[in-house]
Amino acid sequence: MTRNQGRHRFSRRTKLTAGVTGLALTIGLAVAISTTGDQGTAQADGADISLFVDITKQQRNVKAPQPRRGASTGTFTVDCGRNENGHFNPDNFIAQPGVRNGAEHLHDYVGNVSTDADSTDESLLEADTTCKNGDKSAYFWPVVRIDRENEDEEPGEPAGAEVECPDVQRKLRNVPRQAKAEVDRNLQGLKDQIAEANTKLKAAANVDDPNFVNNTVLRPLRDKRTATIDRIVQAVDRVAERPRGLKRLAPCTVKDGDANDAQVAEAAQEAEADAPEKGDGKSASDENELPGNEGEIQRPEVVDITFRGSPVGKVEPMPQFLRILYGDAKVSTNGPKNARNSWTCTGFEDKVLINKYPICPEGSKVKRIHDFNSCWDGKNTDSANHRDHIVAPNQDGKCPKGFKAVPQLRISLTYNIPRDVQVAGQYAVDAFPQEEHNPFSDHDDFANVMSEEIMNRLVQCVNSGRRCKE
């Protein structure tokens, strides 16, 4: 029996939620339940142990094309940090614009600080950035987590059900003096509402019935919180800039420490999970956990964002607002055509890239390498499937007829994951539920919001063969 048999897709931290985030999430939750398989061997929270392999036993498969005369051999590296500001959300404005929790897994962001489901060219252009050179591009990829929760887990006393709500006060910064008294009154009202809901929950006879909990406790609480948050927003709006995103904090959850499998499954089908807010980046707090994607978020030790040239000639500037996808987040549905081998270990980058989770030798670290497509059709910044407008060069580095070479983006992410965790198969990338943390579903997203000045510097650097860092 493998390590995963007997573990369940939803851990004991699973929550019952009464938030409404749209049809897409409802379908996603239903898929999560329908793919759990036979109840006797429920699928695990983490990836199957068979998906972890010793990198030293893998055959060499990396073959870079040799540069020809006139090749653009320079590089341009942008320092955008490692998401120190804790910018997380499960949105994807490229693939699913306007859909909260459209990805059903958490993304790590650097660059543009405003990126979420509602991002537009205009909003991205107006926002700030974490990139030191002022690059406002959006760079985002699914987080990697370590999940040791079920290790040697023994049944204990039921923890009991308890209402948990997002902290509205933590999201309010620099409340104007003129609005502070009214805001404070309403913040206290939110606390009172939670206390009242917990009292109602503890007195309920049917606390194990998800329908009862949702209809009697969570939905009424959400409605009250929505009205109170509206009053907070209006109070601030009268004297200063209107706070954004607070209404997303209205839905609360019930942490049920004694839920059995059937109850958890029913709860997931009936309840709709609210999109998590941006956490502190140090650990995966409950607000950053989604069904099937739980554990301690691993901030990359190194985030390397480098643009490279073409081995067969010069590159042209990317158009502003160009969107590019790397890999395929739904490889189990779409097949391997767009999926890519992304995983390796430090010291093996030029030798081996695999579609499994690597177990690295002592002194080596887990690494993801994402090489984006770099042959642009010369006209479109996006396409219906988000792929046809920019494709990959062939094995020799040439672009297909009608396409022109633009700088190739490579994002490399290095993680300091303990070797015992690697060997035990206790780390995994966030993924859609149906992917079951398949490492071959690893992916990455990029939207170019560089100014013309920065892009011109990039192209000049790459075409002249220099190594530039900004």
Side-chain angles (χ1 to χ4, degrees), residues 218-236:
L218 291 179
R219 287 193 175 94
L221 176 58
R222 180 198 63 200
D223 294 342
K224 291 179 181 179
R225 284 174 59 84
T226 297
T228 304
I229 290 172
D230 278 341
R231 290 194 290 271
I232 292 174
V233 171
Q234 291 168 10
V236 176

Side-chain angles (χ1 to χ4, degrees), residues 52 63 85 165 176 298 349 397 417 441 468:
F52 293 79
K63 296 180 180 179
N85 62 331
C165 302
Q298 303 302 296
E349 299 95 331
I417 296 175
S441 72
C468 304

Side-chain angles (χ1 to χ4, degrees), residues 160-340:
E162 183 178 0
V163 172
E164 291 188 345
C165 302
D167 188 348
V168 175
Q169 185 171 6
R170 186 167 65 89
K171 301 298 180 183
L172 283 170
R173 299 177 180 176
N174 302 320
V175 175
R177 178 181 53 80
Q178 303 95 313
K180 192 173 187 308
E182 186 175 353
V183 168
D184 287 346
R185 282 196 302 272
N186 283 291
L187 288 173
Q188 183 58 49
L190 293 174
K191 295 178 182 178
D192 294 342
Q193 291 162 10
I194 295 173
E196 179 185 355
N198 270 320
T199 299
K200 186 185 298 185
L201 189 65
K202 291 175 182 178
N206 298 328
V207 70
D208 290 332
D209 180 355
N211 290 324
F212 177 84
V213 171
N214 285 326
N215 294 331
T216 307
V217 179
L218 291 179
R219 287 193 175 94
L221 176 58
R222 180 198 63 200
D223 294 342
K224 291 179 181 179
R225 284 174 59 84
T226 297
T228 304
I229 290 172
D230 278 341
R231 290 194 290 271
I232 292 174
V233 171
Q234 291 168 10
V236 176
D237 189 40
R238 284 194 290 268
V239 294
E241 183 178 353
R242 185 182 185 87
R244 296 180 57 192
L246 293 187
K247 288 187 178 180
R248 294 173 59 188
L249 307 182
C252 298
T253 63
V254 168
K255 182 184 289 184
D256 187 355
D258 193 35
N260 61 35
D261 298 337
Q263 291 167 342
V264 167
E266 183 178 0
Q269 288 172 318
E270 293 296 329
E272 298 170 30
D274 183 49
E277 291 296 306
K278 298 171 186 176
D280 60 9
K282 297 178 182 177
S283 65
S285 61
D286 286 341
E287 68 181 9
N288 279 331
E289 290 180 352
L290 300 170
N293 289 301
E294 300 178 327
E296 183 181 356
I297 294 174
Q298 303 302 296
R299 176 182 291 149
E301 185 176 76
V302 178
V303 173
D304 186 300
I305 298 175
T306 296
F307 293 85
R308 306 184 301 167
S310 165
V312 299
K314 306 303 183 185
V315 297
E316 297 188 10
M318 290 180 177
Q320 195 173 51
F321 308 124
L322 177 68
R323 273 95 158 124
I324 316 179
L325 305 184
Y326 166 85
D328 195 330
K330 295 183 178 180
V331 63
S332 67
T333 302
N334 300 332
K337 177 182 178 182
N338 294 307
R340 297 289 181 266

Side-chain angles (χ1 to χ4, degrees), residues 55 58-66 308 326 340-355 367-371 395 408 410 412:
I55 193 75
Q58 308 308 304
Q59 293 185 350
R60 182 173 189 141
N61 64 354
V62 175
K63 296 180 180 179
Q66 291 298 314
R308 306 184 301 167
Y326 166 85
R340 297 289 181 266
N341 293 359
S342 303
W343 301 87
T344 189
C345 300
T346 55
F348 291 80
E349 299 95 331
D350 297 331
K351 304 179 184 73
V352 181
L353 278 175
I354 56 178
N355 58 14
K367 192 167 185 177
R368 300 156 75 187
I369 297 180
H370 301 157
D371 285 340
Q395 292 183 345
Q408 182 187 48
R410 167 177 282 189
S412 300

Side-chain angles (χ1 to χ4, degrees), residues 118-147:
D118 299 322
S119 291
T120 63
D121 293 349
E122 292 74 21
S123 68
L124 293 170
L125 199 57
E126 293 174 359
D128 201 353
T129 180
T130 65
C131 300
K132 290 184 177 180
N133 71 343
D135 174 13
K136 295 186 178 184
S137 299
Y139 305 88
F140 57 105
W141 52 83
V143 301
V144 167
R145 304 178 191 255
I146 291 176
D147 188 1

Side-chain angles (χ1 to χ4, degrees), residues 1-8 39-44 150 261:
M1 183 171 75
T2 69
R3 176 182 65 87
N4 289 316
Q5 290 177 334
R7 293 182 61 192
H8 308 295
Q39 289 300 311
T41 57
Q43 297 297 321
N150 292 305
D261 298 337

